[in-house]
Structure formats: C-alpha cells, structure tokens
Amino acid sequence: MIGVLGSGSWATAIVKILTENATEKVYWWIREQSVIDGLHSDGHNPHYLSEIFFDTQKLILSNDIEEVIAHCNDLFL
C-alpha cells in the first residue's frame, strides 16, 4: 500500500496523482479532522487546492499516523 503523510498543497497534489494512477487505495494521514470531514462530505481538501476533487472510494483517510505507517510499504512525506 501507498501512504501520504500531510495535507498541504504538495501532499494534496501527490494524493491526486496517486489516486489517478495507482491500482490500489491510498492511505492519507491528515492531522486535522475538519480536513478529513471536508474530503468525506465535499470530495476536496478545504484548505489547499480546493478545486481538485478526489474519488474518495480510492482513499483511506486517517488522523492516526501509526495506523497509516503500519499499513503502508511506501510513504510520501
């Protein structure tokens, strides 16, 4: 599995690229629950690159960094 740590503009862009090209789901660690909630409800990061929408079916969102690290072979920091 692939994971991304962080929810800034670079992380958001990387997650978009990964979800467009990866065959598996992408783990995404996001510290702020409000960002996770925004992704679930609106399909985009409410703080960065908000014009980019995600297929949330391809995302596993978590604010538990240990969970994300434990499930991923490859991490983007």
Side-chain angles (χ1 to χ4, degrees), residues 46-73:
H47 299 297
Y48 297 97
L49 305 176
S50 58
E51 67 279 359
I52 294 175
F53 288 85
F54 293 91
D55 178 356
T56 56
Q57 300 279 347
K58 294 183 177 182
L59 295 173
I60 301 171
L61 304 171
S62 177
N63 61 2
D64 182 350
I65 195 168
E66 291 179 14
E67 174 192 8
V68 173
I69 292 170
H71 285 93
C72 296
N73 298 324

Side-chain angles (χ1 to χ4, degrees), residues 17-32:
I17 292 167
L18 291 171
T19 58
E20 296 279 320
N21 295 291
T23 57
E24 56 191 21
K25 291 188 177 193
V26 176
Y27 273 86
W28 192 0
W29 174 76
I30 300 171
R31 179 178 29 175
E32 297 176 50

